[in-house]
C-alpha cells in the first residue's frame, strides 16, 4: 500500500502554541494523594512530593497543568486548602464520592509546579459558588500584598504571588452531573460577570469559558452560541472536552474517532466565527481543549465507588491501564490538534498521574510510564514550531464516524529554530505496511535524524510496575531522504516519529 505526502516550506497552517502540550491534575482518586504527594515515600522530598513522579513529569515538558478540577471544582472551597494543615477541614467530595483531607491546596500545588517545570492553570468554582469566591481566590493567588487576601497568603508562608495567568471559569457547566449545573443563559451571564470582575483586577489574564462537555451533548452547539453571545468580549478561549473509548473492540472505528474530534473542533470554530460576525468584533476567541484522552478501561471497576457509600480517601478511581492500541489513538488525537493549531491554542491531556494518566504509581512503590506516555512525550518535544500543511494522497476507509478516513494519519511540524522537520504518523491499517513517499519542497538539505517507532504484535499489550518496558518506542532504520524526497516503510498499526533536519 502506498501513500504520497507533499509539503512545501511556505505552506503552513499556523504556529503551534506550546500550550497544546499541557495537562491536568484533579483532586480525584490517587492523582494528588499518592500520585504527586506521598509523604514517607522513598523518593519524597521535604514537602512530601514524589521525586520519581516529578522526574517523569519534567521529562514531558508540559507547559501548564490545570487544577483543581474537573467536576471536583464545582463544589470546592479553595479556602479549605490554605493555611496550617492541621486546621484544614476534611470534606466530602460530591463529584467523586470520596473524602479530601485538603492537605494539598493551591500554594502547595504552585510549589509542585515549579519543581515539575510547569505552571498552574486554575479553575474557579462557578457551580456551588460564584463571582465573589472567584475574585477572592484570584486576589489571594496573584496580588503581591497589602490587601486582605494577599496578606493572608503571605501569612500562610507564600510571600511571592503565584501570578497565575490562565483561569477556567468553571467546569463542564452544561453537564447535568455537575454540581450547580446551569442553563447556557444562566452560565453565560455568570461567566461574563465573573470574567469582568477578574479583568478589573488584571486585564492581562487569559480567561476560558466552558463550551460543551462533549460533542454528543443535547445542548451542543447551541450552548456555545449562547454562552459566547454573553461572554465573547470578556473571554479568550472556549473550553472543549472529549474522551475516546473502544468499548466495541473495533480498532478501525476506534481510530476513526479522531475524525469526530476534527468535526467537533471545526463546528465549534464555526460557532465562534458566527458570534464574532454577529458582534462585529475584531477579537479572535480560540479553543482550549482542556480535557482529552482515552477513558473507558476503568468504567466498570469504578462503579463500586461511584455508586457506593464508603467515601474513601484517595481510592483507585479512573485508573485506566492503557494498551498499545491507545498509543495509536493518542497519536491520532495529537495529530488532529496539530493540524488544527490555528484554532486550538491550549490542550490538556486528562489527566497526568494515576487518573486516566500517562504516569502511574504504586502507593509506596514505583512510578512508571504508561504506553500513552510516549506519543505525548514526542509531540511535546518535537511538535513545537509551525504546523505544516501536508497534502496526503493515499488509501482510505469508511467508518462509523465518517467516510474516507485516511489510513495514513499525519501531522508535520517545522521547528522555530533551524530546519528541523518532524513527521508524526499513525498507520491505521490492520495488516498492510504503508510505503510512504513525501516530497519536501523547499527543504533541499533535509536528512533523516531519527525514526522512532512504536509497534507491537499485541494491541492489548500494557506496561505495569512489574513490566514497565513491555510497550516502548524503538529507533528504526530504513527511512531516507534523496533529492528532496523522504521514503519510509511504516508497519501496520504503528506510531512513527520521523525527525529530519
Ligand atoms: O477528567 C475526569 C472528569 O471528566 C473531569 O472531572 C470532568 O471535567 C470530566 O467529565
Amino acid at each position: 500500500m502506498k501513500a504520497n505526502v507533499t509539503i512545501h516550506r511556505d505552506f503552513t497552517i499556523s504556529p503551534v502554541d506550546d500550550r497544546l502540550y499541557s495537562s491536568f491534575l484533579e483532586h480525584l482518586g490517587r492523582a494528588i494523594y499518592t500520585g504527586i504527594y506521598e509523604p514517607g515515600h522513598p523518593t519524597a522530598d521535604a514537602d512530601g512530593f514524589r521525586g520519581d513522579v516529578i522526574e517523569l513529569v519534567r521529562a514531558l515538558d508540559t507547559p501548564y497543568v490545570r487544577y483543581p478540577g474537573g467536576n471536583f471544582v464545582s463544589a470546592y472551597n479553595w479556602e479549605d486548602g490554605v493555611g496550617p494543615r492541621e486546621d484544614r477541614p476534611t470534606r466530602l467530595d460530591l463529584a467523586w464520592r470520596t473524602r479530601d483531607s485538603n492537605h494539598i491546596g493551591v500554594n502547595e500545588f504552585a510549589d509542585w509546579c515549579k519543581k515539575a517545570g510547569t505552571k498552574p492553570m486554575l479553575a474557579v468554582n462557578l457551580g456551588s459558588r460564584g463571582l465573589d469566591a472567584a475574585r477572592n481566590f484570584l486576589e489571594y493567588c496573584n496580588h503581591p500584598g497589602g490587601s486582605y487576601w494577599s496578606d493572608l497568603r503571605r501569612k500562610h508562608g507564600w510571600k511571592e504571588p503565584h501570578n497565575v495567568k490562565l483561569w477556567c471559569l468553571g467546569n463542564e457547566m452544561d453537564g447535568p452531573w455537575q454540581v450547580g449545573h446551569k442553563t447556557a443563559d444562566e452560565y453565560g451571564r455568570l461567566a461574563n460577570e465573573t470574567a469582568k470582575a477578574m479583568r478589573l483586577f488584571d486585564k492581562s489574564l487569559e480567561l476560558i469559558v466552558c463550551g460543551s462537555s462533549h460533542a454528543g451533548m443535547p445542548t451542543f452547539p447551541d450552548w456555545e452560541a449562547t454562552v459566547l453571545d454573553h461572554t465573547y468580549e470578556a473571554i479568550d478561549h472556549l473550553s472543549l472536552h472529549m474522551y475516546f473509548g473502544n468499548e466495541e473492540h473495533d480498532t478501525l472505528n476506534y481510530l476513526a474517532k479522531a475524525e469526530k474530534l476534527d468535526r467537533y473542533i471545526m463546528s465549534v470554530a464555526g460557532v465562534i466565527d458566527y458570534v464574532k460576525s454577529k458582534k462585529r468584533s475584531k477579537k479572535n476567541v480560540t479553543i482550549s481543549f482542556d480535557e482529552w484522552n482515552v477513558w473507558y478501561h476503568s468504567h466498570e471497576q469504578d462503579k463500586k465507588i461511584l455508586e457506593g457509600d464508603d467515601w474513601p480517601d484517595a481510592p483507585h478511581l479512573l485508573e485506566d491501564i492503557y494498551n498499545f492500541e491507545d498509543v495509536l489513538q493518542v497519536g491520532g488525537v495529537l495529530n488532529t490538534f496539530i493540524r488544527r493549531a490555528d484554532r486550538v491554542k491550549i490542550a490538556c491531556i486528562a489527566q497526568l498521574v494515576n487518573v486516566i494518566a500517562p504516569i502511574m504509581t504504586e502507593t509506596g512503590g514505583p512510578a512508571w510510564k504508561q504506553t500513552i506516555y510516549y506519543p505525548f512525550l514526542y509531540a511535546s518535544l518535537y511538535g513545537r514550531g509551525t504546523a505544516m500543511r501536508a497534502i496526503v494522497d493515499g488509501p482510505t476507509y469508511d467508518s462509523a464516524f465518517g467516510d474516507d478516513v485516511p489510513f495514513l494519519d499525519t501531522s508535520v511540524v517545522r521547528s522555530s529554530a533551524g530546519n528541523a522537520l518532524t513527521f508524526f504518523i499513525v498507520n491505521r491499517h490492520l495488516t498492510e505496511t504503508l510505503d510512504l513517499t513525501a516530497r519536501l519542497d523547499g527543504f533541499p538539505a533535509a536528512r533523516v535524524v531519527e525514526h522512532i517507532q512504536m509497534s507491537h504484535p499485541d494491541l492489548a499489550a500494557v506496561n505495569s510496575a512489574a513490566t514497565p518496558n513491555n510497550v516502548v518506542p524503538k529507533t528504526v532504520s530504513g527511512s531516507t531522504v534523496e533529492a528532496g524526497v523522504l521514503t519510509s516503510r511504516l508497519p501496520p498499526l504503528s506510531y512513527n516519529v520521523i525527525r529530519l533536519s
Side-chain angles (χ1 to χ4, degrees):
M1 209 175 56
K2 291 184 190 319
N4 298 318
V5 175
T6 307
I7 62 160
H8 187 290
R9 174 164 214 101
D10 297 333
F11 295 170
T12 61
I13 298 170
S14 155
V16 178
D17 195 314
D18 290 356
R19 297 176 299 180
L20 223 51
Y21 309 116
S22 297
S23 187
F24 175 34
L25 272 172
E26 177 166 5
H27 281 246
L28 197 182
R30 299 190 310 122
I32 302 292
Y33 306 108
T34 74
I36 65 165
Y37 177 71
E38 191 180 337
H41 186 271
T43 71
D45 65 13
D47 293 324
F49 292 126
R50 286 185 64 144
D52 53 355
V53 171
I54 285 178
E55 205 179 302
L56 291 172
V57 175
R58 282 194 82 85
L60 289 174
D61 195 13
T62 186
Y64 283 87
V65 178
R66 183 169 171 252
Y67 173 88
N71 295 340
F72 170 82
V73 80
S74 294
Y76 179 55
N77 300 333
W78 67 267
E79 302 89 334
D80 291 344
V82 299
R85 275 211 174 103
E86 59 278 15
D87 297 341
R88 297 188 195 176
T90 292
R91 298 272 190 203
L92 297 186
D93 164 23
L94 299 178
W96 302 107
R97 294 187 76 74
T98 49
R99 292 197 320 166
D100 195 309
S101 66
N102 278 302
H103 281 183
I104 293 290
V106 70
N107 295 318
E108 292 84 15
F109 179 67
D111 285 351
W112 179 84
C113 283
K114 284 201 190 103
K115 294 179 185 196
T118 185
K119 289 198 272 303
M121 163 178 176
L122 294 180
V124 300
N125 172 357
L126 293 190
S128 67
R129 306 185 83 185
L131 188 161
D132 206 41
R135 67 159 182 142
N136 295 344
F137 189 26
L138 174 61
E139 184 183 313
Y140 181 92
C141 289
N142 282 10
H143 199 56
S147 69
Y148 176 79
W149 292 108
S150 58
D151 284 345
L152 190 62
R153 184 199 66 242
R154 293 173 68 89
K155 191 172 138 205
H156 290 159
W158 279 265
K159 301 279 176 247
E160 295 306 319
H162 301 314
N163 274 327
V164 178
K165 289 294 176 192
L166 272 179
W167 291 82
C168 305
L169 303 169
N171 175 71
E172 294 189 349
M173 298 307 302
D174 62 326
W177 58 86
Q178 204 69 215
V179 175
H181 163 232
K182 292 174 175 54
T183 67
D185 274 310
E186 287 165 352
Y187 171 67
R189 270 203 40 74
L190 175 61
N192 189 51
E193 292 307 318
T194 306
K196 274 167 51 192
M198 292 174 79
R199 282 211 190 289
L200 286 173
F201 172 79
D202 178 357
K203 278 201 278 298
S204 74
L205 299 178
E206 283 187 60
L207 302 177
I208 302 163
V209 77
C210 294
S212 293
S213 302
H214 57 84
M217 292 298 292
T219 47
F220 169 75
D222 294 336
W223 173 274
E224 278 76 1
T226 306
V227 167
L228 286 176
D229 207 23
H230 284 284
T231 59
Y232 197 86
E233 296 299 339
I235 55 93
D236 302 284
H237 311 280
L238 179 77
S239 153
L240 295 182
H241 296 172
M242 187 166 177
Y243 290 98
F244 306 86
N246 187 11
E247 292 85 351
E248 302 81 16
H249 305 292
D250 180 333
T251 301
L252 284 180
N253 271 337
Y254 178 45
L255 299 182
K257 287 183 180 174
E259 298 293 305
K260 228 175 129 179
L261 168 66
D262 191 64
R263 269 205 308 280
Y264 188 26
I265 292 169
M266 290 319 286
S267 305
V268 171
V271 177
I272 293 172
D273 291 346
Y274 162 77
V275 179
K276 178 179 175 178
S277 305
K278 187 175 165 193
K279 296 201 170 284
R280 316 288 189 257
S281 177
K282 274 166 55 180
K283 178 174 186 168
N284 289 322
V285 167
T286 56
I287 295 172
S288 170
F289 220 105
D290 43 42
E291 281 186 36
W292 69 269
N293 202 351
V294 173
W295 176 13
Y296 77 105
H297 298 287
S298 60
H299 283 339
E300 208 40 51
Q301 79 210 29
D302 287 344
K303 283 187 183 152
K304 196 168 165 293
I305 289 169
L306 297 179
E307 293 165 10
D309 286 318
D310 295 342
W311 301 93
D313 293 295
H316 293 263
L317 261 182
L318 277 64
E319 296 199 3
D320 272 42
I321 301 301
Y322 293 115
N323 59 29
F324 170 65
E325 186 179 49
D326 301 326
V327 170
L328 307 174
Q329 180 66 2
V330 165
V333 169
L334 287 161
N335 280 345
T336 309
F337 289 142
I338 292 170
R339 287 193 299 262
R340 296 299 180 197
D342 51 340
R343 308 306 299 244
V344 183
K345 297 296 174 188
I346 302 170
C348 304
I349 189 170
Q351 299 190 10
L352 188 55
V353 185
N354 287 336
V355 170
I356 40 175
I359 298 169
M360 287 300 291
T361 71
E362 239 171 37
T363 306
W368 67 97
K369 298 170 186 165
Q370 292 236 54
T371 61
I372 62 164
Y373 183 94
Y374 297 103
F376 186 70
L377 170 74
Y378 294 126
S380 176
L381 292 185
Y382 306 123
R384 300 182 190 215
T386 302
M388 305 298 291
R389 196 162 294 287
I391 310 300
V392 179
D393 175 17
T396 61
Y397 65 99
D398 293 346
S399 78
F401 307 104
D403 294 342
D404 300 324
V405 179
F407 280 110
L408 178 136
D409 177 65
T410 188
S411 68
V412 186
V413 177
R414 192 181 76 206
S415 66
S416 325
N419 258 337
L421 202 55
T422 302
F423 283 72
F424 300 96
I425 307 177
V426 177
N427 177 0
R428 291 170 166 148
H429 204 287
L430 299 180
T431 53
E432 299 230 359
T433 296
L434 262 171
D435 283 313
L436 167 73
T437 305
R439 228 178 70 205
L440 314 171
D441 288 346
F443 297 92
R447 58 178 189 88
V448 175
V449 175
E450 188 181 24
H451 181 167
I452 303 162
Q453 190 169 85
M454 293 184 78
S455 61
H456 203 284
D458 180 8
L459 281 172
V462 300
N463 292 339
S464 67
T467 58
N469 297 320
N470 191 25
V471 182
V472 287
K474 57 183 187 287
T475 301
V476 294
S477 57
S479 297
T480 54
V481 181
E482 272 170 39
V485 176
L486 164 69
T487 53
S488 185
R489 301 203 78 215
L490 311 170
L493 295 174
S494 63
Y495 167 78
N496 302 269
V497 182
I498 306 179
R499 298 177 53 219
L500 312 178
S501 78

